[in-house]
PDB file of all heavy atoms in Angstrom:
ATOM      1  N   HIS Q 214     -72.295  18.980 -68.650  1.00  0.00           N
ATOM      2  CA  HIS Q 214     -71.902  17.647 -68.223  1.00  0.00           C
ATOM      3  C   HIS Q 214     -71.123  16.939 -69.329  1.00  0.00           C
ATOM      4  O   HIS Q 214     -71.407  17.110 -70.508  1.00  0.00           O
ATOM      5  CB  HIS Q 214     -73.139  16.782 -67.919  1.00  0.00           C
ATOM      6  CG  HIS Q 214     -73.902  17.202 -66.719  1.00  0.00           C
ATOM      7  ND1 HIS Q 214     -75.015  17.983 -66.792  1.00  0.00           N
ATOM      8  CD2 HIS Q 214     -73.718  16.935 -65.406  1.00  0.00           C
ATOM      9  CE1 HIS Q 214     -75.512  18.179 -65.574  1.00  0.00           C
ATOM     10  NE2 HIS Q 214     -74.739  17.567 -64.714  1.00  0.00           N
ATOM     11  N   ARG Q 215     -70.157  16.140 -68.903  1.00  0.00           N
ATOM     12  CA  ARG Q 215     -69.590  15.178 -69.848  1.00  0.00           C
ATOM     13  C   ARG Q 215     -70.368  13.876 -69.701  1.00  0.00           C
ATOM     14  O   ARG Q 215     -70.737  13.506 -68.584  1.00  0.00           O
ATOM     15  CB  ARG Q 215     -68.110  14.929 -69.537  1.00  0.00           C
ATOM     16  CG  ARG Q 215     -67.188  16.025 -69.971  1.00  0.00           C
ATOM     17  CD  ARG Q 215     -65.739  15.597 -69.806  1.00  0.00           C
ATOM     18  NE  ARG Q 215     -65.427  15.261 -68.420  1.00  0.00           N
ATOM     19  CZ  ARG Q 215     -64.353  14.575 -68.039  1.00  0.00           C
ATOM     20  NH1 ARG Q 215     -63.500  14.135 -68.940  1.00  0.00           N
ATOM     21  NH2 ARG Q 215     -64.134  14.324 -66.769  1.00  0.00           N
ATOM     22  N   PRO Q 216     -70.618  13.169 -70.795  1.00  0.00           N
ATOM     23  CA  PRO Q 216     -71.242  11.846 -70.636  1.00  0.00           C
ATOM     24  C   PRO Q 216     -70.373  10.967 -69.741  1.00  0.00           C
ATOM     25  O   PRO Q 216     -69.145  11.045 -69.789  1.00  0.00           O
ATOM     26  CB  PRO Q 216     -71.284  11.305 -72.072  1.00  0.00           C
ATOM     27  CG  PRO Q 216     -71.195  12.503 -72.953  1.00  0.00           C
ATOM     28  CD  PRO Q 216     -70.354  13.487 -72.200  1.00  0.00           C
ATOM     29  N   ARG Q 217     -71.005  10.142 -68.917  1.00  0.00           N
ATOM     30  CA  ARG Q 217     -70.286   9.256 -68.009  1.00  0.00           C
ATOM     31  C   ARG Q 217     -70.478   7.809 -68.442  1.00  0.00           C
ATOM     32  O   ARG Q 217     -71.604   7.377 -68.718  1.00  0.00           O
ATOM     33  CB  ARG Q 217     -70.804   9.423 -66.577  1.00  0.00           C
ATOM     34  CG  ARG Q 217     -70.378  10.709 -65.907  1.00  0.00           C
ATOM     35  CD  ARG Q 217     -71.034  10.837 -64.546  1.00  0.00           C
ATOM     36  NE  ARG Q 217     -72.415  11.271 -64.653  1.00  0.00           N
ATOM     37  CZ  ARG Q 217     -73.306  11.190 -63.667  1.00  0.00           C
ATOM     38  NH1 ARG Q 217     -72.970  10.654 -62.516  1.00  0.00           N
ATOM     39  NH2 ARG Q 217     -74.536  11.626 -63.837  1.00  0.00           N
ATOM     40  N   ILE Q 218     -69.376   7.080 -68.496  1.00  0.00           N
ATOM     41  CA  ILE Q 218     -69.430   5.654 -68.818  1.00  0.00           C
ATOM     42  C   ILE Q 218     -68.814   4.889 -67.659  1.00  0.00           C
ATOM     43  O   ILE Q 218     -67.668   5.128 -67.295  1.00  0.00           O
ATOM     44  CB  ILE Q 218     -68.679   5.335 -70.127  1.00  0.00           C
ATOM     45  CG1 ILE Q 218     -69.276   6.131 -71.294  1.00  0.00           C
ATOM     46  CG2 ILE Q 218     -68.722   3.842 -70.419  1.00  0.00           C
ATOM     47  CD1 ILE Q 218     -68.542   5.933 -72.606  1.00  0.00           C
ATOM     48  N   ARG Q 219     -69.603   4.004 -67.070  1.00  0.00           N
ATOM     49  CA  ARG Q 219     -69.105   3.180 -65.969  1.00  0.00           C
ATOM     50  C   ARG Q 219     -68.927   1.754 -66.470  1.00  0.00           C
ATOM     51  O   ARG Q 219     -69.875   1.153 -66.996  1.00  0.00           O
ATOM     52  CB  ARG Q 219     -70.085   3.200 -64.791  1.00  0.00           C
ATOM     53  CG  ARG Q 219     -69.624   2.377 -63.588  1.00  0.00           C
ATOM     54  CD  ARG Q 219     -70.466   2.687 -62.366  1.00  0.00           C
ATOM     55  NE  ARG Q 219     -71.832   2.230 -62.526  1.00  0.00           N
ATOM     56  CZ  ARG Q 219     -72.258   1.002 -62.180  1.00  0.00           C
ATOM     57  NH1 ARG Q 219     -71.427   0.132 -61.672  1.00  0.00           N
ATOM     58  NH2 ARG Q 219     -73.524   0.680 -62.343  1.00  0.00           N
ATOM     59  N   VAL Q 220     -67.722   1.228 -66.318  1.00  0.00           N
ATOM     60  CA  VAL Q 220     -67.452  -0.151 -66.735  1.00  0.00           C
ATOM     61  C   VAL Q 220     -66.963  -1.010 -65.573  1.00  0.00           C
ATOM     62  O   VAL Q 220     -66.958  -2.232 -65.665  1.00  0.00           O
ATOM     63  CB  VAL Q 220     -66.409  -0.193 -67.883  1.00  0.00           C
ATOM     64  CG1 VAL Q 220     -66.946   0.486 -69.119  1.00  0.00           C
ATOM     65  CG2 VAL Q 220     -65.091   0.435 -67.466  1.00  0.00           C
ATOM     66  N   LEU Q 221     -66.527  -0.388 -64.471  1.00  0.00           N
ATOM     67  CA  LEU Q 221     -66.054  -1.133 -63.311  1.00  0.00           C
ATOM     68  C   LEU Q 221     -67.246  -1.479 -62.428  1.00  0.00           C
ATOM     69  O   LEU Q 221     -67.924  -0.591 -61.902  1.00  0.00           O
ATOM     70  CB  LEU Q 221     -65.030  -0.308 -62.527  1.00  0.00           C
ATOM     71  CG  LEU Q 221     -63.779   0.123 -63.314  1.00  0.00           C
ATOM     72  CD1 LEU Q 221     -62.892   1.017 -62.456  1.00  0.00           C
ATOM     73  CD2 LEU Q 221     -62.995  -1.088 -63.793  1.00  0.00           C
ATOM     74  N   GLY Q 222     -67.519  -2.763 -62.289  1.00  0.00           N
ATOM     75  CA  GLY Q 222     -68.644  -3.190 -61.471  1.00  0.00           C
ATOM     76  C   GLY Q 222     -69.966  -3.191 -62.199  1.00  0.00           C
ATOM     77  O   GLY Q 222     -71.024  -3.361 -61.581  1.00  0.00           O
ATOM     78  N   GLY Q 223     -69.964  -3.017 -63.484  1.00  0.00           N
ATOM     79  CA  GLY Q 223     -71.196  -2.982 -64.269  1.00  0.00           C
ATOM     80  C   GLY Q 223     -71.114  -1.915 -65.340  1.00  0.00           C
ATOM     81  O   GLY Q 223     -70.373  -0.944 -65.182  1.00  0.00           O
ATOM     82  N   PHE Q 224     -71.865  -2.079 -66.413  1.00  0.00           N
ATOM     83  CA  PHE Q 224     -71.811  -1.145 -67.536  1.00  0.00           C
ATOM     84  C   PHE Q 224     -73.006  -0.207 -67.475  1.00  0.00           C
ATOM     85  O   PHE Q 224     -74.156  -0.645 -67.415  1.00  0.00           O
ATOM     86  CB  PHE Q 224     -71.808  -1.905 -68.862  1.00  0.00           C
ATOM     87  CG  PHE Q 224     -71.627  -1.017 -70.068  1.00  0.00           C
ATOM     88  CD1 PHE Q 224     -70.394  -0.467 -70.361  1.00  0.00           C
ATOM     89  CD2 PHE Q 224     -72.698  -0.728 -70.901  1.00  0.00           C
ATOM     90  CE1 PHE Q 224     -70.215   0.348 -71.461  1.00  0.00           C
ATOM     91  CE2 PHE Q 224     -72.533   0.088 -72.008  1.00  0.00           C
ATOM     92  CZ  PHE Q 224     -71.289   0.625 -72.292  1.00  0.00           C
ATOM     93  N   GLU Q 225     -72.713   1.102 -67.480  1.00  0.00           N
ATOM     94  CA  GLU Q 225     -73.774   2.101 -67.422  1.00  0.00           C
ATOM     95  C   GLU Q 225     -73.320   3.359 -68.151  1.00  0.00           C
ATOM     96  O   GLU Q 225     -72.146   3.730 -68.078  1.00  0.00           O
ATOM     97  CB  GLU Q 225     -74.108   2.436 -65.969  1.00  0.00           C
ATOM     98  CG  GLU Q 225     -75.225   3.468 -65.819  1.00  0.00           C
ATOM     99  CD  GLU Q 225     -75.474   3.818 -64.365  1.00  0.00           C
ATOM    100  OE1 GLU Q 225     -74.568   4.390 -63.722  1.00  0.00           O
ATOM    101  OE2 GLU Q 225     -76.575   3.523 -63.875  1.00  0.00           O
ATOM    102  N   VAL Q 226     -74.241   3.991 -68.844  1.00  0.00           N
ATOM    103  CA  VAL Q 226     -73.949   5.228 -69.563  1.00  0.00           C
ATOM    104  C   VAL Q 226     -74.946   6.297 -69.130  1.00  0.00           C
ATOM    105  O   VAL Q 226     -76.154   6.072 -69.145  1.00  0.00           O
ATOM    106  CB  VAL Q 226     -74.040   5.025 -71.097  1.00  0.00           C
ATOM    107  CG1 VAL Q 226     -73.835   6.354 -71.826  1.00  0.00           C
ATOM    108  CG2 VAL Q 226     -73.007   4.002 -71.561  1.00  0.00           C
ATOM    109  N   VAL Q 227     -74.402   7.456 -68.711  1.00  0.00           N
ATOM    110  CA  VAL Q 227     -75.226   8.621 -68.386  1.00  0.00           C
ATOM    111  C   VAL Q 227     -74.907   9.698 -69.412  1.00  0.00           C
ATOM    112  O   VAL Q 227     -73.746  10.043 -69.624  1.00  0.00           O
ATOM    113  CB  VAL Q 227     -74.954   9.136 -66.962  1.00  0.00           C
ATOM    114  CG1 VAL Q 227     -75.781  10.377 -66.668  1.00  0.00           C
ATOM    115  CG2 VAL Q 227     -75.258   8.045 -65.942  1.00  0.00           C
ATOM    116  N   SER Q 228     -75.913  10.204 -70.063  1.00  0.00           N
ATOM    117  CA  SER Q 228     -75.730  11.097 -71.200  1.00  0.00           C
ATOM    118  C   SER Q 228     -75.272  12.490 -70.796  1.00  0.00           C
ATOM    119  O   SER Q 228     -75.229  12.842 -69.608  1.00  0.00           O
ATOM    120  CB  SER Q 228     -77.037  11.208 -71.992  1.00  0.00           C
ATOM    121  OG  SER Q 228     -77.947  12.056 -71.305  1.00  0.00           O
ATOM    122  N   LEU Q 229     -74.967  13.293 -71.803  1.00  0.00           N
ATOM    123  CA  LEU Q 229     -74.604  14.696 -71.623  1.00  0.00           C
ATOM    124  C   LEU Q 229     -75.684  15.454 -70.867  1.00  0.00           C
ATOM    125  O   LEU Q 229     -75.407  16.394 -70.119  1.00  0.00           O
ATOM    126  CB  LEU Q 229     -74.384  15.322 -73.006  1.00  0.00           C
ATOM    127  CG  LEU Q 229     -73.899  16.759 -73.099  1.00  0.00           C
ATOM    128  CD1 LEU Q 229     -72.477  16.868 -72.598  1.00  0.00           C
ATOM    129  CD2 LEU Q 229     -73.973  17.246 -74.541  1.00  0.00           C
ATOM    130  N   CYS Q 230     -76.941  15.035 -71.014  1.00  0.00           N
ATOM    131  CA  CYS Q 230     -78.069  15.698 -70.358  1.00  0.00           C
ATOM    132  C   CYS Q 230     -78.306  15.182 -68.943  1.00  0.00           C
ATOM    133  O   CYS Q 230     -79.200  15.660 -68.250  1.00  0.00           O
ATOM    134  CB  CYS Q 230     -79.340  15.497 -71.181  1.00  0.00           C
ATOM    135  SG  CYS Q 230     -79.207  16.058 -72.884  1.00  0.00           S
ATOM    136  N   GLY Q 231     -77.520  14.174 -68.512  1.00  0.00           N
ATOM    137  CA  GLY Q 231     -77.674  13.633 -67.176  1.00  0.00           C
ATOM    138  C   GLY Q 231     -78.661  12.482 -67.074  1.00  0.00           C
ATOM    139  O   GLY Q 231     -78.978  12.036 -65.976  1.00  0.00           O
ATOM    140  N   THR Q 232     -79.166  11.974 -68.217  1.00  0.00           N
ATOM    141  CA  THR Q 232     -80.113  10.859 -68.217  1.00  0.00           C
ATOM    142  C   THR Q 232     -79.391   9.547 -68.514  1.00  0.00           C
ATOM    143  O   THR Q 232     -78.415   9.515 -69.272  1.00  0.00           O
ATOM    144  CB  THR Q 232     -81.207  11.079 -69.267  1.00  0.00           C
ATOM    145  OG1 THR Q 232     -80.595  11.238 -70.561  1.00  0.00           O
ATOM    146  CG2 THR Q 232     -82.009  12.330 -68.953  1.00  0.00           C
ATOM    147  N   ARG Q 233     -79.871   8.454 -67.922  1.00  0.00           N
ATOM    148  CA  ARG Q 233     -79.297   7.140 -68.191  1.00  0.00           C
ATOM    149  C   ARG Q 233     -79.711   6.664 -69.575  1.00  0.00           C
ATOM    150  O   ARG Q 233     -80.879   6.795 -69.953  1.00  0.00           O
ATOM    151  CB  ARG Q 233     -79.725   6.120 -67.134  1.00  0.00           C
ATOM    152  CG  ARG Q 233     -78.957   6.272 -65.833  1.00  0.00           C
ATOM    153  CD  ARG Q 233     -79.369   5.216 -64.807  1.00  0.00           C
ATOM    154  NE  ARG Q 233     -78.491   5.265 -63.661  1.00  0.00           N
ATOM    155  CZ  ARG Q 233     -78.573   6.148 -62.694  1.00  0.00           C
ATOM    156  NH1 ARG Q 233     -79.509   7.078 -62.748  1.00  0.00           N
ATOM    157  NH2 ARG Q 233     -77.732   6.136 -61.673  1.00  0.00           N
ATOM    158  N   ALA Q 234     -78.756   6.124 -70.302  1.00  0.00           N
ATOM    159  CA  ALA Q 234     -79.027   5.667 -71.657  1.00  0.00           C
ATOM    160  C   ALA Q 234     -79.912   4.416 -71.621  1.00  0.00           C
ATOM    161  O   ALA Q 234     -79.670   3.492 -70.841  1.00  0.00           O
ATOM    162  CB  ALA Q 234     -77.722   5.361 -72.381  1.00  0.00           C
ATOM    163  N   GLU Q 235     -80.944   4.413 -72.461  1.00  0.00           N
ATOM    164  CA  GLU Q 235     -81.784   3.238 -72.667  1.00  0.00           C
ATOM    165  C   GLU Q 235     -81.422   2.661 -74.030  1.00  0.00           C
ATOM    166  O   GLU Q 235     -81.676   3.279 -75.060  1.00  0.00           O
ATOM    167  CB  GLU Q 235     -83.268   3.626 -72.616  1.00  0.00           C
ATOM    168  CG  GLU Q 235     -83.727   4.215 -71.291  1.00  0.00           C
ATOM    169  CD  GLU Q 235     -83.696   3.187 -70.163  1.00  0.00           C
ATOM    170  OE1 GLU Q 235     -83.770   1.978 -70.470  1.00  0.00           O
ATOM    171  OE2 GLU Q 235     -83.587   3.584 -68.993  1.00  0.00           O
ATOM    172  N   TRP Q 236     -80.824   1.489 -74.034  1.00  0.00           N
ATOM    173  CA  TRP Q 236     -80.274   0.930 -75.266  1.00  0.00           C
ATOM    174  C   TRP Q 236     -81.351   0.266 -76.105  1.00  0.00           C
ATOM    175  O   TRP Q 236     -82.090  -0.595 -75.625  1.00  0.00           O
ATOM    176  CB  TRP Q 236     -79.158  -0.057 -74.944  1.00  0.00           C
ATOM    177  CG  TRP Q 236     -77.980   0.618 -74.334  1.00  0.00           C
ATOM    178  CD1 TRP Q 236     -77.661   0.708 -73.015  1.00  0.00           C
ATOM    179  CD2 TRP Q 236     -76.974   1.360 -75.040  1.00  0.00           C
ATOM    180  NE1 TRP Q 236     -76.529   1.451 -72.835  1.00  0.00           N
ATOM    181  CE2 TRP Q 236     -76.076   1.861 -74.056  1.00  0.00           C
ATOM    182  CE3 TRP Q 236     -76.734   1.643 -76.381  1.00  0.00           C
ATOM    183  CZ2 TRP Q 236     -74.963   2.628 -74.389  1.00  0.00           C
ATOM    184  CZ3 TRP Q 236     -75.630   2.405 -76.711  1.00  0.00           C
ATOM    185  CH2 TRP Q 236     -74.759   2.892 -75.732  1.00  0.00           C
ATOM    186  N   THR Q 237     -81.434   0.683 -77.351  1.00  0.00           N
ATOM    187  CA  THR Q 237     -82.343   0.057 -78.309  1.00  0.00           C
ATOM    188  C   THR Q 237     -81.602  -0.909 -79.222  1.00  0.00           C
ATOM    189  O   THR Q 237     -82.219  -1.569 -80.049  1.00  0.00           O
ATOM    190  CB  THR Q 237     -83.021   1.134 -79.185  1.00  0.00           C
ATOM    191  OG1 THR Q 237     -82.003   1.892 -79.872  1.00  0.00           O
ATOM    192  CG2 THR Q 237     -83.838   2.089 -78.334  1.00  0.00           C
ATOM    193  N   SER Q 238     -80.285  -0.978 -79.057  1.00  0.00           N
ATOM    194  CA  SER Q 238     -79.460  -1.819 -79.928  1.00  0.00           C
ATOM    195  C   SER Q 238     -78.376  -2.509 -79.095  1.00  0.00           C
ATOM    196  O   SER Q 238     -77.536  -1.844 -78.503  1.00  0.00           O
ATOM    197  CB  SER Q 238     -78.812  -0.984 -81.043  1.00  0.00           C
ATOM    198  OG  SER Q 238     -77.793  -1.715 -81.691  1.00  0.00           O
ATOM    199  N   ARG Q 239     -78.423  -3.832 -79.066  1.00  0.00           N
ATOM    200  CA  ARG Q 239     -77.382  -4.589 -78.370  1.00  0.00           C
ATOM    201  C   ARG Q 239     -76.035  -4.415 -79.052  1.00  0.00           C
ATOM    202  O   ARG Q 239     -74.991  -4.375 -78.404  1.00  0.00           O
ATOM    203  CB  ARG Q 239     -77.774  -6.064 -78.331  1.00  0.00           C
ATOM    204  CG  ARG Q 239     -76.801  -6.953 -77.555  1.00  0.00           C
ATOM    205  CD  ARG Q 239     -77.304  -8.375 -77.461  1.00  0.00           C
ATOM    206  NE  ARG Q 239     -77.462  -8.953 -78.791  1.00  0.00           N
ATOM    207  CZ  ARG Q 239     -76.468  -9.525 -79.484  1.00  0.00           C
ATOM    208  NH1 ARG Q 239     -75.251  -9.577 -78.966  1.00  0.00           N
ATOM    209  NH2 ARG Q 239     -76.681 -10.024 -80.680  1.00  0.00           N
TER     210      ARG Q 239
END
Side-chain angles (χ1 to χ4, degrees):
H214 291 97
R215 284 188 301 164
R217 287 175 282 165
I218 301 177
R219 181 167 67 89
V220 296
L221 301 176
F224 185 74
E225 181 183 65
V226 176
V227 178
S228 76
L229 184 68
C230 304
T232 57
R233 283 182 172 79
E235 299 293 336
W236 294 98
T237 58
S238 167
R239 183 175 60 84

